[in-house]
Amino acid sequence: MAITLVNPDGLPEIDVYRQVSIASGSKLVFIAGQVAWDAEGATVGAGDLAAQVERCYLNIGTALAGAGGSFDDVAKLTVHVVDWTPDKMPLLLEGISRAAAKLGVTPVPPATLLGVAALDVPEHLVEVEAVAVLD
């Protein structure tokens, strides 16, 4: 495995991600921000943040598989949420949990969560991008 995830002493331990990823592979994979589209480009989960987060993570899983990898190879995630407020955290975590169960993984690489004013179209509430490293 090309990625080792750690929480170094001196930094807080966060349940939903690790503070540091150490990459030792040789192939970088940059995945475009994934929104809640199905394979035909139709939005999944209109108005439902948890459903859209789930779909974004499933799409990341599909993109990783297409590159010959999995969530175990992810070095960094960036999550963009429209009109983010802390009270949305349970819905974000619910969507991640549902996707993780379907993918059979625990997606905890370092992550950055950004609140944004808008995404590509009004019905998209979240966008997730990933960087992976493969052996």
Side-chain angles (χ1 to χ4, degrees), residues 32 35 61-62 93:
V35 293
T62 298
L93 296 177

Side-chain angles (χ1 to χ4, degrees), residues 75 92 98:
L92 179 77
R98 292 188 332 212

Side-chain angles (χ1 to χ4, degrees), residues 57 61 64 70-72 96-108:
Y57 272 70
L64 288 164
S70 72
F71 260 95
D72 290 335
I96 293 169
S97 178
R98 292 188 332 212
K102 288 181 179 176
L103 293 167
V105 299
T106 304
V108 292

Side-chain angles (χ1 to χ4, degrees), residues 5-8 11-14 17-21 108-111:
L5 302 175
V6 297
N7 277 321
L11 294 177
E13 284 194 32
I14 308 296
Y17 65 89
R18 302 299 174 263
Q19 294 282 5
V20 176
S21 67
V108 292

